[in-house]
Amino acid sequence: MSDENIQMYDVIVLGAGPVGENVADRTAAAGLRTVIVESELVGGECSYWACEPSKALLRPALLYGEAARFPGVANAVTGPLDADAVLKHRDRMAADWDDRGQVEWLESAGIALIRGHGRLDGVREVTVATPGGGTVRLRARHAVAVCTGTRAALPPLPGLDALRPWTSREATSAREVPRRLGIVGAGVVAVEMATAWRALGAEVVLIAREPRLLARVEEFAADLVAGRLRAAGVDLRFGSGIVTAERAGGPDDGIHLGLSGGERIVVDELLFATGRAPRTDDIGLETVGSVPGDWLATDDAFTVTAVDGEWLYAVGDVNHRALLTHQGKYQARIAGQVIADRAAGRELDRSPWGAHAGTADLVAVPQVVFTDPEIAAVGLTTEEAARLDRTVDVVDYEIGRVAGAIQHDPEYRGRARILIDPERRVIVGATFAGPGVAELLHSATIAITGEITVDRLWHAVPSFPTISEVWLRLLETYRDQRAKP
């Protein structure tokens, strides 16, 4: 095909989720002519099948739980959640799966959009198969950014398609509450969806090969969540797995499960929350010497290390550095700056915490698990510190002893933990578990990224009576621990 049939851009972005949008925003703002290619909805997984709809399902559940426990309010909670109203709220927060607003934003930012499936076709070239059956060829002067994200990873279970299983997409977009919901997995999607759908009235059984929930968070935090799920009526089956599964069909149409312990149960829907896989199996990686279906390893400037020439970037979940929307957007801001500065011939600052280095991916990745209670964590956990042979001082405090926590919930149950590097006297990890702790997380993230010493933190005075006073109590506990002979 001749060059006149190729559309030229400075930057091509594959994927219009939050990550792709942010890369395109930064490069377009720098004056680079940018096009974004998307085969589904502009706004991506987070907007329509993950962050936004899942939190819309969870917020009513958490609010209901807190209200039902609070003196003077509990008596006003006289019935179950209005499931129809919650689902309508969820639909609204997912923009009714209509991306017109996102498309308007792209237009306002001067970013071109081509709908269709984009595949790499050699160095700095992309071929797009459009919905109408046509083909559009693109060439980038400077960069191609792969921001295609991930999809649910399903286990190799015989007859899986006949089960019509749920993935995270179906779990966040279901039109009605299932009577009996089985969940396979013990990670964030599993526990959040167990929390939400149980609150909406489903009978929930969670089946996990693991010995506990949320293996990557502090064990005390996972135990608090497990206790609350059990109290809500969720059946937790640890150390178990599915051996056989069959959808009956007919009037019942239930899914009959045979578990590894020999027990048989029946559910109406079955959610597999068993991890994520990169969406790289059909994006033309073979044309640039990479392996389709693989995660795309990058350096800290988000340049794909297996491809020569510093023109191919992998940003967000697809690089497997930190599978979180906010962290992907952080990467996008850096990658966009890298692309713009390389295009302008400017030298990069790739030193730790420099403008062109994704240092936070390695040191301070914040995450909130929106369960009852919430878990908010950033930096190292105790287990990770031990695995890395890092010496840390562990400081715990029961959040329910803080006046602001008692104001929040007179029966408040929760715990805070910080990990301190005793030589540098800086915080390297923090975990909070309890109602309302999500809003504590950014202060911990700032403390870690800013490498603020414990001595300086004494001068950061928390307001009384707020839950954030736990910071003072943690410092006091650390002081007293060190004072002991």
Side-chain angles (χ1 to χ4, degrees):
M1 187 176 291
S2 62
D3 282 358
E4 59 263 27
N5 293 319
I6 297 177
Q7 297 183 25
M8 295 292 299
Y9 289 90
D10 294 315
V11 180
I12 301 169
V13 179
L14 296 181
V19 175
E21 288 178 324
N22 273 264
V23 171
D25 179 49
R26 291 298 83 214
T27 57
L32 297 178
R33 189 165 180 256
T34 301
V35 62
I36 196 163
V37 179
E38 177 55 59
S39 61
E40 294 188 293
L41 296 175
V42 175
E45 199 82 9
C46 177
S47 298
Y48 307 105
W49 300 287
C51 316
E52 293 286 6
S54 69
K55 300 330 170 252
L57 292 172
L58 284 158
R59 179 56 188 151
L62 300 180
L63 184 61
Y64 181 92
E66 290 187 14
R69 295 191 296 267
F70 203 91
V73 180
N75 290 341
V77 182
T78 57
L81 283 174
D82 183 338
D84 288 341
V86 171
L87 294 180
K88 286 179 181 177
H89 167 65
R90 183 273 317 272
D91 294 352
R92 184 166 60 252
M93 294 304 295
D96 291 307
W97 293 273
D98 185 325
D99 66 359
R100 282 177 293 183
Q102 300 275 14
V103 172
E104 289 172 1
W105 176 83
L106 287 180
E107 293 171 350
S108 71
I111 301 164
L113 169 65
I114 297 177
R115 292 192 183 270
H117 181 75
R119 300 181 82 256
L120 293 165
D121 194 17
V123 177
R124 293 194 303 277
E125 297 208 357
V126 171
T127 300
V128 183
T130 65
T135 300
V136 177
R137 293 194 65 192
L138 307 173
R139 180 177 295 159
R141 295 183 181 89
H142 299 293
V144 176
V146 177
C147 307
T148 49
T150 59
R151 56 176 173 76
L154 293 171
L157 191 66
L160 189 63
D161 289 345
L163 297 178
R164 303 192 302 275
W166 280 11
T167 67
S168 53
R169 283 197 169 195
E170 288 77 19
T172 56
S173 62
R175 309 311 303 174
E176 59 184 32
V177 180
R179 184 166 66 89
R180 301 164 298 184
L181 173 63
I183 299 176
V184 181
V188 174
V189 172
V191 295
E192 287 191 347
M193 291 299 93
T195 301
W197 288 108
R198 177 61 192 140
L200 289 171
E203 298 174 15
V204 177
V205 56
L206 186 148
I207 304 161
R209 294 191 180 277
E210 298 85 348
R212 70 172 178 96
L213 299 176
L214 301 166
R216 295 184 181 180
V217 308
E218 296 281 9
E219 189 169 357
F220 73 82
D223 287 346
L224 285 169
V225 171
R228 188 71 79 184
L229 285 173
R230 285 193 178 102
V234 176
D235 184 359
L236 301 180
R237 307 286 186 96
F238 296 122
S240 184
I242 296 176
V243 178
T244 62
E246 183 180 6
R247 187 177 280 278
D252 172 55
D253 201 30
I255 302 174
H256 294 250
L257 303 176
L259 304 186
S260 53
E263 187 178 1
R264 296 188 64 84
I265 61 175
V266 182
V267 297
D268 298 296
E269 301 294 350
L270 183 62
L271 163 62
F272 284 99
T274 47
R276 308 290 296 179
R279 291 187 178 184
T280 61
D281 52 316
D282 189 24
I283 60 168
L285 288 180
E286 68 279 2
T287 71
V288 295
S290 290
V291 179
D294 276 2
W295 301 98
L296 292 176
T298 72
D299 59 19
D300 287 347
F302 305 103
T303 316
V304 176
T305 53
V307 176
D308 294 333
E310 296 183 332
W311 62 271
L312 185 64
Y313 297 78
V315 194
D317 285 7
V318 75
N319 62 34
H320 208 225
R321 289 169 64 101
L323 276 65
L324 296 161
T325 296
H326 49 269
Q327 210 67 23
K329 291 165 71 174
Y330 159 77
Q331 295 175 11
R333 293 190 291 272
I334 292 172
Q337 191 65 51
V338 169
I339 293 168
D341 287 344
R342 277 179 171 158
R346 291 187 284 267
E347 185 176 352
L348 301 186
D349 177 7
R350 303 180 66 165
S351 60
W353 305 114
H356 306 100
T359 310
D361 285 346
L362 311 176
V363 178
V365 176
Q367 181 176 15
V368 177
V369 186
F370 290 90
T371 45
D372 182 7
E374 291 175 342
I375 300 174
V378 61
L380 294 176
T381 64
T382 312
E383 186 176 315
E384 288 169 338
R387 187 171 64 249
L388 296 170
D389 201 24
R390 291 279 299 274
T391 299
V392 294
D393 292 333
V394 180
V395 187
D396 287 341
Y397 196 83
E398 296 298 321
I399 304 176
R401 295 165 60 189
V402 174
I406 299 170
Q407 292 283 4
H408 187 93
D409 181 348
E411 302 298 326
Y412 194 104
R413 289 193 63 219
R415 186 190 297 182
R417 171 173 290 178
I418 57 173
L419 307 183
I420 297 174
D421 182 325
E423 291 189 4
R424 295 189 297 137
R425 292 180 62 77
V426 297
I427 295 172
V428 294
T431 296
F432 307 93
V437 297
E439 301 305 330
L440 293 176
L441 187 57
H442 196 55
S443 55
T445 305
I446 291 171
I448 293 173
T449 58
E451 299 179 329
I452 303 171
T453 65
V454 172
D455 306 287
R456 178 58 63 87
L457 282 174
W458 277 104
H459 299 280
V461 182
S463 297
F464 180 89
T466 65
I467 300 176
S468 63
E469 196 182 12
V470 72
W471 277 106
L472 175 58
R473 302 301 173 222
L474 287 164
L475 293 176
E476 291 173 337
T477 301
Y478 186 53
R479 174 198 62 194
D480 295 345
Q481 285 179 188
R482 290 177 64 85
K484 292 179 181 178

